[in-house]
Amino acid sequence: MSNLGTNSNDRIFPKGFLWGSATASFQVEGGIENNDWSEASKIGRVPVCGGATDHYNRFEEDFDIAKSLGHNAHRFSIEWSRIEPEEGKFDESEIEHYRSVLRALRTRGIVPFVTLWHFTLPIWFVKNGGFERREAPEIFARYCSYVVERLGRDAEYFMTINEPLVWASGSFLRGNWPPFEKSFSKFIKIKSRLESAHILAYKRIKDIAPWVRVGVAKHNIYFWSDNKPWNMFASFVMNWFWNESFLNKISNYQDFIGLNHYFHKKFGKALNLPKTDMDWDIFPEGLYHILLGLKKYEKPIVITESGIADEKDLQRGEYIRGHITSVARALKEGVPIFGFLYWSLLDNYEWSFGFTKKFGLVEVDYETQERKIRPSALIYKEIIERGVV
């Protein structure tokens, strides 16, 4: 129990604070065969996703579970390749599917957060140059505005892009995601294109649906150092480049900030910390510092992802408690946070790791599709219900 409150009856988090979890289309829906990741799996470059958790058909069951766990918010993504399977040709039946998803959330009293693009790209877009294509921002903005024009009455919060720098680095620096390239110059070019794509999409969305709130889901890393000048300088540069440069560019074109946070990077002697199944340090204090760093933007903030791969569910409960304690600390210092969404509601396809990493509050048997609530999900539920950590 944290000592942030004066007694166990004090609510640290205000009523109306949004609590929930998140998913992404390709990682949970199943049956998606016309995007770059499905194509890469066919030639053995990434694991096969296949039916995943069959969330496309079982979303109501999954939302019933979320509701039973006290969630009042949920983030999910729309699969671009479902909506626009061919360039300029849109599938209204898929719009209707996602409208059903939104209404299923709303009828359960769960606030939807909609991500318009979460890493996977339609095959036609990639074959025509992807985000290297000069017209890419226009094409992306057309897709985003098409979706919001049809679904903007069913959701208030939309995010254009999930983790733009993570995607760009995985695809064009490390080269372990489609299109499997390693080129720093292309990475910088793509980063600029994504900034332009968001800004144009924001303008188009606001033209047709000025009432919706638009942002991005930005992955920020806590960079820090010992007191050696060169390490302090490295930390400063990386914080500016990774955490701030994209947000600075779009600062006039976002209504809120979606924050994804998983790990820290210390320049200097590393700390001896417990690790997740991803071999990431468990360091809740990093989230507190990242939130303080976002205060200067004067935008409402929702944590859109924070989670742990923990197959045995031995560390997840304390991970959640520790990170929510950091949120509470930041709130007390005036950071305008209005929600926390754990990653992920379900075990899912974790990109190049396939189904081997278990982030879910809910365990999934991929052969039977049986869902099983993990004990840590009940710890999270208690925090939600009491409003304290």
Side-chain angles (χ1 to χ4, degrees):
M1 177 77 63
S2 165
N3 63 1
L4 286 166
T6 57
N7 63 66
S8 61
N9 294 318
D10 288 341
R11 291 191 66 90
I12 296 171
F13 295 92
K15 291 186 177 180
F17 193 84
L18 296 177
W19 298 103
S21 55
T23 60
S25 56
F26 191 67
Q27 294 179 266
V28 295
E29 284 185 354
I32 301 170
E33 298 295 336
N34 62 336
N35 67 30
D36 55 344
W37 276 79
S38 60
E39 284 292 287
S41 72
K42 294 172 186 175
I43 58 174
R45 297 296 300 271
V46 298
V48 173
C49 186
T53 70
D54 194 30
H55 180 72
Y56 186 85
N57 297 304
R58 304 173 69 124
F59 62 88
E60 294 202 67
E61 172 190 353
D62 294 334
F63 295 160
D64 283 339
I65 294 172
K67 180 68 174 177
S68 77
L69 294 174
H71 298 190
N72 63 1
H74 182 76
R75 177 185 173 214
F76 72 98
S77 75
I78 289 176
E79 178 62 31
W80 185 356
S81 65
R82 289 193 190 275
I83 301 299
E84 192 176 3
E86 298 178 55
E87 184 168 4
K89 296 182 180 180
F90 298 92
D91 190 335
E92 284 295 325
S93 67
E94 294 293 355
I95 288 288
E96 287 304 313
H97 169 79
Y98 287 112
R99 182 174 285 116
S100 297
V101 171
L102 286 165
R103 290 178 176 173
L105 288 168
R106 294 173 67 89
T107 58
R108 290 164 174 79
I110 299 175
V111 175
F113 285 78
V114 182
T115 310
L116 294 167
W117 174 48
H118 196 125
F119 290 168
T120 54
L121 294 170
I123 291 172
W124 62 262
F125 182 70
V126 173
K127 287 184 175 179
N128 290 332
F131 278 103
E132 294 182 69
R133 186 176 175 182
R134 185 182 301 275
E135 301 85 3
E138 177 67 37
I139 294 167
F140 181 70
R142 180 187 65 194
Y143 155 70
C144 291
S145 61
Y146 180 91
V147 172
V148 176
E149 184 175 20
R150 284 150 181 80
L151 300 180
R153 296 291 181 182
D154 294 298
E156 181 180 357
Y157 299 99
F158 287 86
M159 285 154 283
T160 57
I161 302 171
N162 177 73
E163 299 182 347
L165 270 66
V166 172
W167 178 80
S169 61
S171 301
F172 293 95
L173 278 183
R174 296 191 306 273
N176 56 358
W177 290 1
F180 308 107
E181 296 190 33
K182 291 185 179 182
S183 168
F184 183 74
S185 62
K186 281 192 176 183
F187 168 78
I188 295 299
K189 176 182 177 181
I190 292 296
K191 177 179 177 290
S192 177
R193 283 282 163 78
L194 295 178
E195 291 164 352
S196 298
H198 167 78
I199 291 170
L200 186 56
Y202 179 94
K203 292 177 178 178
R204 295 286 175 80
I205 289 169
K206 288 299 207 176
D207 283 345
I208 61 173
W211 58 86
V212 304
R213 302 185 190 186
V214 182
V216 297
K218 178 67 177 64
H219 178 259
N220 276 12
I221 300 168
Y222 176 45
F223 295 102
W224 61 304
S225 74
D226 57 22
N227 59 5
K228 292 183 172 60
W230 51 90
N231 286 331
M232 294 173 68
F233 179 72
S235 173
F236 173 83
V237 170
M238 286 304 300
N239 182 67
W240 171 81
F241 178 75
W242 186 271
N243 292 338
E244 297 181 352
S245 62
F246 192 97
L247 290 175
N248 291 344
K249 185 72 173 182
I250 69 167
S251 61
N252 294 325
Y253 304 95
Q254 55 181 344
D255 303 317
F256 68 95
I257 296 173
L259 170 65
N260 294 1
H261 176 72
Y262 289 96
F263 44 80
H264 74 115
K265 166 62 178 175
K266 183 183 178 185
F267 292 89
K269 185 178 180 181
L271 302 179
N272 184 19
L273 295 169
K275 305 281 189 180
T276 76
D277 291 351
M278 296 286 286
D279 201 35
W280 298 340
D281 287 347
I282 299 177
F283 188 62
E285 186 178 345
L287 177 57
Y288 163 75
H289 290 290
I290 286 295
L291 287 166
L292 288 188
L294 293 176
K295 187 176 179 180
K296 66 183 180 182
Y297 291 101
E298 299 183 334
K299 302 286 184 183
I301 299 165
V302 55
I303 291 88
T304 40
E305 289 184 29
S306 179
I308 178 174
D310 179 22
E311 183 170 6
K312 295 181 179 179
D313 202 41
L314 298 177
Q315 302 182 100
R316 185 175 287 105
E318 284 308 305
Y319 176 99
I320 292 171
R321 193 185 304 279
H323 283 73
I324 292 175
T325 297
S326 285
V327 175
R329 287 181 64 194
L331 267 173
K332 287 190 71 174
E333 296 193 32
V335 182
I337 309 159
F338 68 100
F340 178 91
L341 307 177
Y342 174 84
W343 180 272
S344 172
L345 175 62
L346 305 167
D347 284 343
N348 57 60
Y349 178 88
E350 191 52 41
W351 305 111
S352 56
F353 294 95
F355 293 101
T356 63
K357 304 302 180 183
K358 314 295 185 182
F359 279 86
L361 295 170
V362 178
E363 179 183 354
V364 177
D365 183 319
Y366 295 109
E367 295 204 1
T368 66
Q369 294 297 345
E370 179 186 4
R371 272 75 164 144
K372 182 179 179 182
I373 294 171
R374 289 192 165 103
S376 57
L378 303 180
I379 294 173
Y380 185 29
K381 179 182 181 180
E382 181 185 6
I383 293 170
I384 293 170
E385 291 177 344
R386 297 181 60 204
V388 298
V389 284

PDB file of all heavy atoms in Angstrom, residues 27 30 42 48 74-75 79 81 87 95 139 169 198 223 227 247 273 318 335 340 378 381:
ATOM      1  N   GLN A  27      -2.827  -7.753 -33.570  1.00  0.00           N
ATOM      2  CA  GLN A  27      -2.333  -8.555 -32.456  1.00  0.00           C
ATOM      3  C   GLN A  27      -3.401  -9.444 -31.838  1.00  0.00           C
ATOM      4  O   GLN A  27      -3.061 -10.415 -31.160  1.00  0.00           O
ATOM      5  CB  GLN A  27      -1.710  -7.643 -31.400  1.00  0.00           C
ATOM      6  CG  GLN A  27      -0.443  -6.939 -31.896  1.00  0.00           C
ATOM      7  CD  GLN A  27       0.153  -6.013 -30.868  1.00  0.00           C
ATOM      8  OE1 GLN A  27      -0.122  -4.828 -30.867  1.00  0.00           O
ATOM      9  NE2 GLN A  27       0.972  -6.543 -29.981  1.00  0.00           N
ATOM     10  N   GLY A  30      -7.230 -11.635 -35.496  1.00  0.00           N
ATOM     11  CA  GLY A  30      -7.163 -12.857 -36.293  1.00  0.00           C
ATOM     12  C   GLY A  30      -7.749 -12.664 -37.679  1.00  0.00           C
ATOM     13  O   GLY A  30      -8.570 -11.770 -37.923  1.00  0.00           O
ATOM     14  N   LYS A  42       4.443 -15.057 -44.411  1.00  0.00           N
ATOM     15  CA  LYS A  42       4.363 -16.083 -45.461  1.00  0.00           C
ATOM     16  C   LYS A  42       5.739 -16.469 -45.985  1.00  0.00           C
ATOM     17  O   LYS A  42       5.908 -17.561 -46.537  1.00  0.00           O
ATOM     18  CB  LYS A  42       3.475 -15.594 -46.603  1.00  0.00           C
ATOM     19  CG  LYS A  42       2.004 -15.429 -46.200  1.00  0.00           C
ATOM     20  CD  LYS A  42       1.192 -14.748 -47.294  1.00  0.00           C
ATOM     21  CE  LYS A  42      -0.231 -14.469 -46.825  1.00  0.00           C
ATOM     22  NZ  LYS A  42      -1.019 -13.699 -47.823  1.00  0.00           N
ATOM     23  N   VAL A  48       3.915 -16.352 -37.752  1.00  0.00           N
ATOM     24  CA  VAL A  48       2.544 -16.312 -38.284  1.00  0.00           C
ATOM     25  C   VAL A  48       1.587 -15.870 -37.183  1.00  0.00           C
ATOM     26  O   VAL A  48       1.668 -16.335 -36.045  1.00  0.00           O
ATOM     27  CB  VAL A  48       2.140 -17.706 -38.815  1.00  0.00           C
ATOM     28  CG1 VAL A  48       0.664 -17.726 -39.211  1.00  0.00           C
ATOM     29  CG2 VAL A  48       3.018 -18.091 -39.994  1.00  0.00           C
ATOM     30  N   HIS A  74     -11.321   1.701 -22.838  1.00  0.00           N
ATOM     31  CA  HIS A  74     -10.609   0.670 -23.596  1.00  0.00           C
ATOM     32  C   HIS A  74     -10.079   1.275 -24.881  1.00  0.00           C
ATOM     33  O   HIS A  74     -10.780   2.001 -25.594  1.00  0.00           O
ATOM     34  CB  HIS A  74     -11.530  -0.495 -23.942  1.00  0.00           C
ATOM     35  CG  HIS A  74     -10.825  -1.604 -24.679  1.00  0.00           C
ATOM     36  ND1 HIS A  74      -9.985  -2.492 -24.058  1.00  0.00           N
ATOM     37  CD2 HIS A  74     -10.819  -1.946 -26.001  1.00  0.00           C
ATOM     38  CE1 HIS A  74      -9.502  -3.342 -24.945  1.00  0.00           C
ATOM     39  NE2 HIS A  74      -9.980  -3.022 -26.131  1.00  0.00           N
ATOM     40  N   ARG A  75      -8.831   0.954 -25.178  1.00  0.00           N
ATOM     41  CA  ARG A  75      -8.203   1.397 -26.416  1.00  0.00           C
ATOM     42  C   ARG A  75      -8.082   0.212 -27.368  1.00  0.00           C
ATOM     43  O   ARG A  75      -7.655  -0.871 -26.974  1.00  0.00           O
ATOM     44  CB  ARG A  75      -6.813   1.969 -26.114  1.00  0.00           C
ATOM     45  CG  ARG A  75      -6.055   2.387 -27.366  1.00  0.00           C
ATOM     46  CD  ARG A  75      -4.645   2.824 -27.029  1.00  0.00           C
ATOM     47  NE  ARG A  75      -3.900   3.058 -28.265  1.00  0.00           N
ATOM     48  CZ  ARG A  75      -2.614   2.820 -28.427  1.00  0.00           C
ATOM     49  NH1 ARG A  75      -1.884   2.341 -27.419  1.00  0.00           N
ATOM     50  NH2 ARG A  75      -2.027   3.053 -29.577  1.00  0.00           N
ATOM     51  N   GLU A  79      -8.047  -1.711 -38.244  1.00  0.00           N
ATOM     52  CA  GLU A  79      -7.102  -2.278 -39.200  1.00  0.00           C
ATOM     53  C   GLU A  79      -7.275  -1.595 -40.559  1.00  0.00           C
ATOM     54  O   GLU A  79      -8.291  -1.775 -41.245  1.00  0.00           O
ATOM     55  CB  GLU A  79      -7.327  -3.784 -39.319  1.00  0.00           C
ATOM     56  CG  GLU A  79      -6.427  -4.483 -40.313  1.00  0.00           C
ATOM     57  CD  GLU A  79      -4.948  -4.383 -39.964  1.00  0.00           C
ATOM     58  OE1 GLU A  79      -4.598  -4.321 -38.763  1.00  0.00           O
ATOM     59  OE2 GLU A  79      -4.132  -4.372 -40.910  1.00  0.00           O
ATOM     60  N   SER A  81      -5.954  -2.157 -43.400  1.00  0.00           N
ATOM     61  CA  SER A  81      -6.107  -3.060 -44.550  1.00  0.00           C
ATOM     62  C   SER A  81      -7.514  -3.650 -44.643  1.00  0.00           C
ATOM     63  O   SER A  81      -7.913  -4.114 -45.718  1.00  0.00           O
ATOM     64  CB  SER A  81      -5.071  -4.189 -44.480  1.00  0.00           C
ATOM     65  OG  SER A  81      -5.280  -5.016 -43.360  1.00  0.00           O
ATOM     66  N   GLU A  87      -6.322   0.522 -52.922  1.00  0.00           N
ATOM     67  CA  GLU A  87      -6.159   1.974 -52.838  1.00  0.00           C
ATOM     68  C   GLU A  87      -7.410   2.695 -53.316  1.00  0.00           C
ATOM     69  O   GLU A  87      -7.890   2.487 -54.440  1.00  0.00           O
ATOM     70  CB  GLU A  87      -4.953   2.432 -53.656  1.00  0.00           C
ATOM     71  CG  GLU A  87      -4.691   3.921 -53.532  1.00  0.00           C
ATOM     72  CD  GLU A  87      -3.354   4.359 -54.085  1.00  0.00           C
ATOM     73  OE1 GLU A  87      -2.629   3.507 -54.661  1.00  0.00           O
ATOM     74  OE2 GLU A  87      -3.013   5.545 -53.925  1.00  0.00           O
ATOM     75  N   ILE A  95     -16.429  -0.993 -41.803  1.00  0.00           N
ATOM     76  CA  ILE A  95     -16.830   0.167 -40.990  1.00  0.00           C
ATOM     77  C   ILE A  95     -17.942  -0.242 -40.038  1.00  0.00           C
ATOM     78  O   ILE A  95     -17.938   0.111 -38.848  1.00  0.00           O
ATOM     79  CB  ILE A  95     -17.280   1.332 -41.886  1.00  0.00           C
ATOM     80  CG1 ILE A  95     -16.072   1.962 -42.601  1.00  0.00           C
ATOM     81  CG2 ILE A  95     -18.049   2.386 -41.081  1.00  0.00           C
ATOM     82  CD1 ILE A  95     -15.151   2.764 -41.718  1.00  0.00           C
ATOM     83  N   ILE A 139      -2.506  10.342 -48.530  1.00  0.00           N
ATOM     84  CA  ILE A 139      -3.191   9.043 -48.531  1.00  0.00           C
ATOM     85  C   ILE A 139      -3.608   8.665 -47.114  1.00  0.00           C
ATOM     86  O   ILE A 139      -4.728   8.200 -46.883  1.00  0.00           O
ATOM     87  CB  ILE A 139      -2.273   7.966 -49.141  1.00  0.00           C
ATOM     88  CG1 ILE A 139      -2.048   8.262 -50.620  1.00  0.00           C
ATOM     89  CG2 ILE A 139      -2.864   6.565 -48.960  1.00  0.00           C
ATOM     90  CD1 ILE A 139      -0.919   7.464 -51.242  1.00  0.00           C
ATOM     91  N   SER A 169      11.869   3.008 -36.297  1.00  0.00           N
ATOM     92  CA  SER A 169      13.152   2.396 -35.953  1.00  0.00           C
ATOM     93  C   SER A 169      13.128   0.889 -36.180  1.00  0.00           C
ATOM     94  O   SER A 169      14.115   0.317 -36.669  1.00  0.00           O
ATOM     95  CB  SER A 169      13.528   2.721 -34.503  1.00  0.00           C
ATOM     96  OG  SER A 169      12.570   2.216 -33.598  1.00  0.00           O
ATOM     97  N   HIS A 198       0.515  12.999 -39.635  1.00  0.00           N
ATOM     98  CA  HIS A 198      -0.357  13.289 -38.487  1.00  0.00           C
ATOM     99  C   HIS A 198      -0.976  14.677 -38.598  1.00  0.00           C
ATOM    100  O   HIS A 198      -2.181  14.847 -38.383  1.00  0.00           O
ATOM    101  CB  HIS A 198       0.414  13.198 -37.171  1.00  0.00           C
ATOM    102  CG  HIS A 198      -0.364  13.792 -36.035  1.00  0.00           C
ATOM    103  ND1 HIS A 198      -1.396  13.133 -35.411  1.00  0.00           N
ATOM    104  CD2 HIS A 198      -0.307  15.029 -35.459  1.00  0.00           C
ATOM    105  CE1 HIS A 198      -1.932  13.918 -34.491  1.00  0.00           C
ATOM    106  NE2 HIS A 198      -1.281  15.063 -34.503  1.00  0.00           N
ATOM    107  N   PHE A 223      15.218   8.706 -20.183  1.00  0.00           N
ATOM    108  CA  PHE A 223      16.663   8.763 -20.326  1.00  0.00           C
ATOM    109  C   PHE A 223      17.238   9.551 -19.149  1.00  0.00           C
ATOM    110  O   PHE A 223      16.790  10.665 -18.874  1.00  0.00           O
ATOM    111  CB  PHE A 223      17.054   9.443 -21.639  1.00  0.00           C
ATOM    112  CG  PHE A 223      16.635   8.692 -22.876  1.00  0.00           C
ATOM    113  CD1 PHE A 223      15.530   9.102 -23.601  1.00  0.00           C
ATOM    114  CD2 PHE A 223      17.336   7.576 -23.311  1.00  0.00           C
ATOM    115  CE1 PHE A 223      15.129   8.423 -24.747  1.00  0.00           C
ATOM    116  CE2 PHE A 223      16.951   6.891 -24.450  1.00  0.00           C
ATOM    117  CZ  PHE A 223      15.847   7.306 -25.164  1.00  0.00           C
ATOM    118  N   ASN A 227      26.409  11.558 -12.890  1.00  0.00           N
ATOM    119  CA  ASN A 227      26.789  12.974 -12.963  1.00  0.00           C
ATOM    120  C   ASN A 227      27.991  13.252 -13.859  1.00  0.00           C
ATOM    121  O   ASN A 227      28.541  14.351 -13.840  1.00  0.00           O
ATOM    122  CB  ASN A 227      27.063  13.523 -11.560  1.00  0.00           C
ATOM    123  CG  ASN A 227      28.168  12.758 -10.846  1.00  0.00           C
ATOM    124  OD1 ASN A 227      28.793  11.878 -11.432  1.00  0.00           O
ATOM    125  ND2 ASN A 227      28.415  13.099  -9.588  1.00  0.00           N
ATOM    126  N   LEU A 247       6.787  15.346 -30.685  1.00  0.00           N
ATOM    127  CA  LEU A 247       5.718  16.085 -30.009  1.00  0.00           C
ATOM    128  C   LEU A 247       5.858  17.589 -30.229  1.00  0.00           C
ATOM    129  O   LEU A 247       4.858  18.301 -30.351  1.00  0.00           O
ATOM    130  CB  LEU A 247       5.721  15.765 -28.515  1.00  0.00           C
ATOM    131  CG  LEU A 247       5.284  14.351 -28.130  1.00  0.00           C
ATOM    132  CD1 LEU A 247       5.439  14.132 -26.632  1.00  0.00           C
ATOM    133  CD2 LEU A 247       3.843  14.080 -28.557  1.00  0.00           C
ATOM    134  N   LEU A 273      18.159  -4.313 -11.326  1.00  0.00           N
ATOM    135  CA  LEU A 273      16.708  -4.283 -11.143  1.00  0.00           C
ATOM    136  C   LEU A 273      16.090  -5.585 -11.618  1.00  0.00           C
ATOM    137  O   LEU A 273      16.647  -6.275 -12.466  1.00  0.00           O
ATOM    138  CB  LEU A 273      16.106  -3.114 -11.947  1.00  0.00           C
ATOM    139  CG  LEU A 273      16.511  -1.708 -11.500  1.00  0.00           C
ATOM    140  CD1 LEU A 273      16.079  -0.686 -12.537  1.00  0.00           C
ATOM    141  CD2 LEU A 273      15.908  -1.382 -10.139  1.00  0.00           C
ATOM    142  N   GLU A 318       2.453  -6.135  -8.723  1.00  0.00           N
ATOM    143  CA  GLU A 318       3.284  -5.060  -8.171  1.00  0.00           C
ATOM    144  C   GLU A 318       3.735  -4.090  -9.249  1.00  0.00           C
ATOM    145  O   GLU A 318       3.930  -2.901  -8.986  1.00  0.00           O
ATOM    146  CB  GLU A 318       4.483  -5.647  -7.431  1.00  0.00           C
ATOM    147  CG  GLU A 318       4.127  -6.232  -6.068  1.00  0.00           C
ATOM    148  CD  GLU A 318       3.356  -5.252  -5.198  1.00  0.00           C
ATOM    149  OE1 GLU A 318       3.864  -4.122  -4.987  1.00  0.00           O
ATOM    150  OE2 GLU A 318       2.250  -5.593  -4.745  1.00  0.00           O
ATOM    151  N   VAL A 335       0.310  17.422 -12.977  1.00  0.00           N
ATOM    152  CA  VAL A 335       0.309  16.904 -14.348  1.00  0.00           C
ATOM    153  C   VAL A 335      -1.142  16.502 -14.700  1.00  0.00           C
ATOM    154  O   VAL A 335      -1.767  15.746 -13.953  1.00  0.00           O
ATOM    155  CB  VAL A 335       1.252  15.697 -14.499  1.00  0.00           C
ATOM    156  CG1 VAL A 335       1.264  15.214 -15.946  1.00  0.00           C
ATOM    157  CG2 VAL A 335       2.661  16.073 -14.052  1.00  0.00           C
ATOM    158  N   PHE A 340      -5.522   5.816 -17.325  1.00  0.00           N
ATOM    159  CA  PHE A 340      -4.444   4.834 -17.351  1.00  0.00           C
ATOM    160  C   PHE A 340      -4.979   3.568 -18.002  1.00  0.00           C
ATOM    161  O   PHE A 340      -5.957   2.975 -17.516  1.00  0.00           O
ATOM    162  CB  PHE A 340      -3.971   4.521 -15.925  1.00  0.00           C
ATOM    163  CG  PHE A 340      -2.884   3.476 -15.844  1.00  0.00           C
ATOM    164  CD1 PHE A 340      -1.548   3.838 -15.876  1.00  0.00           C
ATOM    165  CD2 PHE A 340      -3.200   2.127 -15.726  1.00  0.00           C
ATOM    166  CE1 PHE A 340      -0.541   2.876 -15.798  1.00  0.00           C
ATOM    167  CE2 PHE A 340      -2.206   1.159 -15.647  1.00  0.00           C
ATOM    168  CZ  PHE A 340      -0.874   1.539 -15.686  1.00  0.00           C
ATOM    169  N   LEU A 378      -7.090  -8.768 -10.789  1.00  0.00           N
ATOM    170  CA  LEU A 378      -7.929  -8.461  -9.634  1.00  0.00           C
ATOM    171  C   LEU A 378      -7.271  -7.434  -8.720  1.00  0.00           C
ATOM    172  O   LEU A 378      -7.957  -6.659  -8.051  1.00  0.00           O
ATOM    173  CB  LEU A 378      -8.252  -9.748  -8.872  1.00  0.00           C
ATOM    174  CG  LEU A 378      -8.940 -10.831  -9.716  1.00  0.00           C
ATOM    175  CD1 LEU A 378      -9.214 -12.067  -8.872  1.00  0.00           C
ATOM    176  CD2 LEU A 378     -10.232 -10.307 -10.337  1.00  0.00           C
ATOM    177  N   LYS A 381      -8.139  -4.329 -10.436  1.00  0.00           N
ATOM    178  CA  LYS A 381      -9.547  -4.035 -10.182  1.00  0.00           C
ATOM    179  C   LYS A 381      -9.741  -3.369  -8.815  1.00  0.00           C
ATOM    180  O   LYS A 381     -10.505  -2.405  -8.674  1.00  0.00           O
ATOM    181  CB  LYS A 381     -10.371  -5.318 -10.255  1.00  0.00           C
ATOM    182  CG  LYS A 381     -11.857  -5.115  -9.981  1.00  0.00           C
ATOM    183  CD  LYS A 381     -12.624  -6.429 -10.020  1.00  0.00           C
ATOM    184  CE  LYS A 381     -14.122  -6.191  -9.754  1.00  0.00           C
ATOM    185  NZ  LYS A 381     -14.878  -7.460  -9.783  1.00  0.00           N
TER     186      LYS A 381
END
